[in-house]
Amino acid sequence: MTDTAKHDIRFGDWNAPLNADARLIRFEVFVEEQQVPAELEMDHMDAVCLHAVAYDSAGTPIGTGRLLPDGHIGRMAVRQGARGTGTGGALLQALMEQARARGDKQVVLSAQTHAAPFYERHGFAIDGDEFFEAGISHINMQYTF
């Protein structure tokens, strides 16, 4: 498991100052890099989620994710230059810990299929068949505490 203590991860709601940083990362990764239409990337669920943003030692936002009220983890994204540094794992573990602390019995997510091995390394199991969302192959996964 990744050591979240090595990463500066901040939590907040969509009105918190980190909203701009989360938007920047998500737009860069999903809209620019993966060609997801901008109108699909930002949704009404942002207002009710707990958001997490990871910052590097210079204070630059490098990764983000969100936890929905029903235990879904979503919008996990790490900027290209920070991939492979443990940032994604730290964010995932931090969001899982937030879910566990509030009493969730499990967390679920829809992973891009190519990222499924990353989530499996963190204890997630595939749940169901592959499907397409925004033209990208996904698979549902779950983790029970």
Side-chain angles (χ1 to χ4, degrees), residues 65-79:
R66 71 182 189 181
L67 178 63
L68 284 78
D70 66 0
H72 274 78
I73 291 175
R75 300 305 199 268
M76 290 280 300
V78 175
R79 296 173 91 179

Side-chain angles (χ1 to χ4, degrees), residues 8 12 16 20 23 29 35 53 56 60-61 64 68 75 81 91 97 99-100 112 116 129-130:
D8 179 13
R23 283 179 187 267
V29 172
Q35 304 299 304
V53 176
D56 68 12
T60 303
T64 191
L68 284 78
R75 300 305 199 268
L91 276 165
E97 185 51 42
R100 184 189 340 249
Q112 291 183 10
D129 297 321
E130 188 176 35

Side-chain angles (χ1 to χ4, degrees), residues 40-56:
L40 294 180
E41 171 44 36
M42 298 298 167
D43 64 19
H44 69 283
M45 294 305 294
D46 279 324
V48 298
C49 290
L50 174 67
H51 295 270
V53 176
Y55 297 86
D56 68 12

